[in-house]
Amino acid sequence: MVFGISPFGEKQGLTAEQPKHIITQIANIARDGLKPACQIEHAVVQLPSEGRVLLFVFIPESVEKPVHLRGKSLEHSFARSGGQTRKMDETEIRQALLSSRPQRFEELPVLASNITEVVDNMDLKPVCDRLGKPYSIDPEKLSEITIDLGFATRSREQIIPTFLGVIVAAKDFGRVPGCERYGVKVTQYAGTSKLSAQKEKIYTQGFVHSFDQIIEEIIGMVPHSEVIEKATRKRVPLYPVMALRELIANAVIHRDYSRTDSYVQIEIFEDRIEITNPGSLLPGMDVDRLIDQQPRARNEVLASRMRELGFCEERGSGIDKVAFELELYGLPAVAFENFADSFKAALFRPKDYKKMPHAERLRTAYQHTCLHYVMKKDVTNASLRERLKLSEGQSQLVSKLIRQCIESRLIKVANPGASPRYVRYIPIWA
């Protein structure tokens, strides 16, 4: 829309004071009078005539459609046609609904007082390197790359960074107001409690810069064991690196970024590693169904970008991969805890069956059953005995554990009536 044009198409212009009043009115309507609220952009252009200006107002297309009068039904949606404003008909409203989607958090613009500083705070070269995209230091080409990656949107006068760009590519979260705690805090403790912290480090860079560093730091902190591989002695970390990568990537991807009071926290104890992210599981998700769970992401665009960058597994397979790696390493099953405002995953050091708490035994048997069901493999007394590293002479211990899992409604018999030697088990939800 252009203000300052006569009905006959002549540039009459506005006084220097009028644009401010018009912008205030339009902004109030866009914010308070419409649902969803609309963003507006404007520019004031000086005319040759002394003291007169033109006001240009641009209203970007809303991704959520149709835009209608706040407090009214969808029938109060309007369209421009032939120079007139009219109500949309049912067909137009239906088409608008079909093309609508809610705007995701990562796509929102970062509203900072110094937009240029936020854009300059993003380093895109490692992103382009990982994605195999061309990189350029030419300002105009770099702007196009930034927009193409979804790291910024274009306005009339400049590009405006998105939260996706900050989360992935920021050189320092501390330079972006409101994003100071988007990083990861790694703490190593002496013993099994939080009484004595030995080492602490906070990573404040976007995850294309810091993710691999975080993994390397943790691997350097955890105990290692020596194995013989092809006649060569080598040291390997006690916890599977793949499982660590998946759980930390999940914490980064699924954290609630509207929470600005807490980091993703990785705490390393003598007997375990705990990974906690701000934000609980999404409604309808259950900690007991994370293996083979229908994939859902709080931050879907970020999840997609992290997969493209190679930081996590394909969609929906990450937790299954964690369970598989823990079985391969002979570690107890991962423990998930869902709280009102956070979510925690814990990995545990290997231990003998007799030293495993009852809940840990149940959890390991249950996740073994879930994983094998997904992999279309049979779960029997023998398979569970092998998972728990028990001998054939200890089959009665496994039989007792299986009965306890059935009583706890975690698993059930897949083939009722079969002889005890051939009984198979499946998850209770199968």
Side-chain angles (χ1 to χ4, degrees):
M1 296 188 293
V2 184
F3 293 82
I5 304 295
S6 75
F8 305 103
E10 299 169 345
K11 299 177 185 178
Q12 290 182 331
L14 306 171
T15 66
E17 294 76 24
Q18 283 180 300
K20 182 177 180 181
H21 175 69
I22 294 171
I23 285 298
T24 301
Q25 282 189 306
I26 294 177
N28 288 339
I29 293 170
R31 183 183 65 249
D32 302 327
L34 302 176
K35 184 178 181 182
C38 294
Q39 299 176 5
I40 65 168
E41 299 173 18
H42 73 278
V44 177
V45 177
Q46 187 74 41
L47 289 175
S49 54
E50 186 176 345
R52 307 297 288 183
V53 298
L54 292 179
L55 171 63
F56 291 80
V57 177
F58 176 65
I59 305 172
E61 180 181 3
S62 175
V63 296
E64 188 175 347
K65 304 179 178 71
V67 177
H68 60 284
L69 297 181
R70 185 176 293 275
K72 302 282 188 178
S73 68
L74 289 179
E75 293 178 354
H76 290 81
S77 302
F78 295 83
R80 292 286 290 175
S81 177
Q84 302 293 320
T85 301
R86 59 170 178 79
K87 278 190 175 183
M88 296 171 67
D89 60 34
E90 290 185 11
T91 301
E92 290 173 319
I93 292 175
R94 192 178 301 114
Q95 289 175 342
L97 288 169
L98 289 173
S99 64
S100 172
R101 65 171 177 81
Q103 191 165 25
R104 304 175 181 96
F105 168 80
E106 308 98 297
E107 297 171 321
L108 294 174
V110 177
L111 302 177
S113 57
N114 192 338
I115 294 297
T116 302
E117 184 177 337
V118 176
V119 173
D120 291 343
N121 188 41
M122 292 193 296
D123 180 6
L124 305 187
K125 190 175 188 311
V127 179
C128 293
D129 290 345
R130 278 183 171 269
L131 296 178
K133 291 179 176 289
Y135 176 78
S136 174
I137 60 173
D138 176 78
E140 188 172 335
K141 291 182 179 179
L142 187 57
S143 293
E144 292 301 324
I145 293 170
T146 308
I147 293 169
D148 182 58
L149 290 169
F151 290 177
T153 59
R154 186 184 296 282
S155 70
R156 287 180 56 85
E157 299 177 354
Q158 60 186 338
I159 64 170
I160 301 177
T162 61
F163 281 98
L164 177 65
V166 171
I167 294 168
V168 173
K171 300 173 189 174
D172 182 2
F173 291 135
R175 291 168 57 185
V176 185
C179 302
E180 294 88 351
R181 292 179 181 263
Y182 278 7
V184 174
K185 179 192 287 188
V186 178
T187 309
Q188 183 178 27
Y189 296 96
T192 60
S193 71
K194 297 184 180 183
L195 294 177
S196 178
Q198 289 182 316
K199 187 176 182 181
E200 183 170 279
K201 185 172 182 179
I202 299 175
Y203 292 83
T204 61
Q205 291 178 298
F207 295 110
V208 75
H209 308 298
S210 64
F211 191 85
D212 288 334
Q213 295 178 31
I214 293 168
I215 301 299
E216 290 175 7
E217 182 84 14
I218 294 169
I219 291 173
M221 292 180 178
V222 301
H224 285 61
S225 59
E226 290 191 345
V227 298
I228 305 295
E229 188 175 289
K230 295 181 180 179
T232 302
R233 187 183 300 273
K234 60 185 294 188
R235 297 180 75 246
V236 297
L238 205 58
Y239 300 94
V241 175
M242 180 64 73
L244 283 170
R245 288 184 68 91
E246 285 300 320
L247 291 175
I248 295 170
N250 275 348
V252 167
I253 290 168
H254 299 297
R255 74 157 285 173
D256 183 354
Y257 282 96
S258 68
R259 290 270 310 278
T260 59
D261 59 345
S262 181
Y263 299 99
V264 168
Q265 298 190 63
I266 302 170
E267 298 171 299
I268 303 170
F269 300 89
E270 186 178 285
D271 62 342
R272 67 194 187 280
I273 297 177
E274 295 182 354
I275 302 163
T276 306
N277 61 268
S280 59
L281 282 178
L282 292 173
M285 298 188 73
D286 187 341
V287 292
D288 290 331
R289 286 300 317 275
L290 294 181
I291 294 177
D292 195 35
Q293 174 77 52
Q294 183 69 25
R296 292 175 63 196
R298 174 178 274 113
N299 306 301
E300 188 175 343
V301 180
L302 176 60
S304 176
R305 183 61 78 215
M306 291 289 277
R307 285 193 295 272
E308 291 171 2
L309 291 168
F311 292 127
C312 56
E313 285 291 301
E314 289 300 316
R315 185 180 181 91
S317 65
I319 299 301
D320 297 20
K321 186 69 174 178
V322 171
F324 177 81
E325 289 290 316
L326 295 179
E327 291 218 350
L328 198 62
Y329 272 60
L331 301 184
V334 57
F336 297 113
E337 291 184 87
N338 190 37
F339 303 100
D341 60 355
S342 63
F343 179 78
K344 180 190 293 183
L347 297 177
F348 299 88
R349 289 185 62 161
K351 55 173 75 80
D352 292 336
Y353 181 77
K354 292 183 179 180
K355 293 182 179 179
M356 293 175 69
H358 178 63
E360 191 166 79
R361 295 175 182 176
L362 291 177
R363 186 173 64 250
T364 301
Y366 172 67
Q367 290 189 19
H368 171 77
T369 307
C370 292
L371 181 64
H372 277 233
Y373 179 78
V374 171
M375 297 169 64
K376 302 188 183 308
K377 292 184 177 181
D378 289 340
V379 173
T380 62
N381 184 296
S383 75
L384 189 53
R385 195 171 67 241
E386 182 181 352
R387 168 68 176 95
L388 296 167
K389 298 189 179 302
L390 297 174
S391 66
E392 189 171 353
Q394 295 174 297
S395 61
Q396 288 301 316
L397 287 177
V398 177
S399 296
K400 180 180 178 181
L401 177 60
I402 289 172
R403 287 196 300 273
Q404 292 170 337
C405 286
I406 292 174
E407 291 168 1
S408 300
R409 297 191 56 78
L410 295 174
I411 67 174
K412 62 184 178 182
V413 176
N415 54 341
S419 63
R421 184 180 182 88
Y422 298 104
V423 174
R424 294 179 286 106
Y425 304 94
I426 56 178
I428 193 66
W429 43 263

